[in-house]
Amino acid sequence: MIAQWVVHCRRSRPVRYGIAAFAAILIVSTLYFLEVPSYSAGDRLSHWSPTIPTHGLGGQTSPREWDARAEQVKQAFRHAYHGYLTHANGFDELRPLSNVGVNNFNGWNVSVYDSLDTMLLMGLYDEFKAALPIIERGNFRQIDNSESNANAWARSKYVPFFETVIRYLGGLLAAHALSGEKVLLDRAAELATLLEPAFNTSSGLPKFGVNPETSAVTAGISGILAEIASCQLEWTYTAHATGNKTHYDRVNTLINTLADAMELRKGGMFPTQWHLNTGKPTSESRSVGAAADSAHEYLLKQYLLTGKTDVDNLEMYLLTTNEVLTRLMYITPNRELVYVTETFGASFSPSHHFEHLACFFPGLLALGAYSVDLSLDGIDRGKLNPEARRQYDLLSKYDLRALHMAAAEGLATSCWLMYADQPSGLGPEVVDMEHATAEGKNGKGKLWMDAVEEWHRKGRRGPLPGTGEKKAVMYTRPEGAKAGGGPWDYVVRRADYFLRPETLESIYLMWRTTGNAVWRERGWEIFEAIEREAKTASGYASLKNVKQSPAPQSDEQPSYFLAETLKYLYLLFRNEDPLPLEKWVFNTEAHPLPVFEWNEWEKHKFGIPS
């Protein structure tokens, strides 16, 4: 890799670089952010606007009231899950308007698997006990390939590797970690083995789909980043929990392929399109939303899951976030809304779309700043490409933990405002952000880091760009309007709300890392909106248009609503923290896995360097 870390990397491959001298590295004697307190990993981190007020949001809510709110979320889960059992038992998901079941993820009862750990965390032990026979009887070799199946690949007898891993395998592993029920680990080990033919490519990157009965795989040789690089947590933990070296070898090969690709590219973030045999990108498009999101997430989380020993993944996370902060994060001209967008091609042309899917990213930044003493000192600047070196030089002037936390606050605030501005109180799928500025007449807009640098040059007057208190503005822009004009600084591009968890995930992590109750209050407002707009007689429905209230509903209740959305709300409102961030890591479906370190026998058995 490109690193010069003075620690041992756990990868089972030769060390490529020794300790490099720092003489050639740009030395900055005074950090930009000396006024920011220094923290140790695990300390709660300050906001850049340390007194974001909670007035008007019920900021004096008592612990007893928070317990009552957590109980309301528990009852919402029971309403959704019991509606599923009543009307869709034996199917994957409930259609909460027509009250029928639908199979769209293999026909294996995905809503049950996705709900197991949520039940345990909520103390719903009767429901959990009743689910165990369903898990025990499940047949992972049989797929619902009937014409009524919602997905064409299922009708062709393939299960989607990515979705099956994060929902089924992740759900089994987390429920086993919380309960100790042996059947859950046995079924997880069986499922992992049935899915492993997907890794039979020259690079070890997984194919899109697997037939678990015949071991056949889908024919395509291209993959998207999120689907090929979001299984590391599950395979690593399966190897640890079962002692199976094959599981470890699969994930080790995959991570080595990613690390090799990063070394070849000499820094930067991974593009979205990949060739599965060469293990190299086939495009230069970048995203933290669709097609990429969880791959970036797993770089940091793999490092945390393995007791902060997997340094390759930490380095890739740092190089990725360097590029996101300097090239994908923008700020709007009027409200100063910070947002992250995707770019296309080698020209790095930004779309200025802000996706709901990308709203996991502020939580990831906050988690990294809270958990890790972030620094670029361990990266060999001389091994970087010119653009990555520019990013390194720019960000090396900053207290990186403080900068990541400032970015997290700005982005999380924008994600919350996408909810708070809407008449329904719920956030749209995609918005187009205003980016026309005096400095940005070429249409590319103003990068957030350019605004931060300008703030420094002008004496750091006022809050850091994008931070500070921001108020909701009721969205009344007419259909077909362009982004310019009006007080919002954006236009709703897709008004759907799919009961998604990403904004609530970040709100939860902002609360846990800062202790600022404003995030709990914002989460409560969102839960009230879900109850008001999405609830049906049998469950909760996605919405067609968040710009209306009452919002028209769609006939779907995704399983991730049970696995993620309600879980994050429940954990946000609970006074006790059953899953401390130092001890647990969530997979991308919010299934928690316990942090561990490889013991000496595992290192010997798996060939992990000490």
Side-chain angles (χ1 to χ4, degrees), residues 312-331:
D312 275 3
N313 277 284
L314 175 61
E315 182 189 330
M316 289 188 283
Y317 173 73
L318 289 170
L319 293 171
T320 294
T321 52
N322 280 2
E323 185 147 86
V324 176
L325 264 62
T326 57
R327 301 186 81 184
L328 269 70
M329 277 182 59
Y330 286 81
I331 188 166

Side-chain angles (χ1 to χ4, degrees), residues 328-341:
L328 269 70
M329 277 182 59
Y330 286 81
I331 188 166
T332 65
N334 303 309
R335 287 175 94 182
E336 290 197 341
L337 301 181
V338 180
Y339 64 98
V340 62
T341 192

Side-chain angles (χ1 to χ4, degrees), residues 190-231:
E190 177 190 351
L191 180 58
T193 299
L194 291 173
L195 294 175
E196 282 186 338
F199 292 107
N200 292 335
T201 60
S202 300
S203 67
L205 299 179
K207 288 290 191 83
F208 171 81
V210 184
N211 183 320
E213 183 176 10
T214 67
S215 298
V217 296
T218 48
I221 58 170
S222 63
I224 64 173
L225 181 62
E227 293 184 349
I228 65 174
S230 302
C231 61

Side-chain angles (χ1 to χ4, degrees), residues 418-441:
M418 296 304 110
Y419 280 66
D421 284 355
Q422 306 309 318
S424 67
L426 296 167
E429 181 73 355
V430 184
V431 297
D432 287 341
M433 304 300 288
E434 174 60 66
H435 54 276
T437 65
E439 301 91 343
K441 293 180 180 177

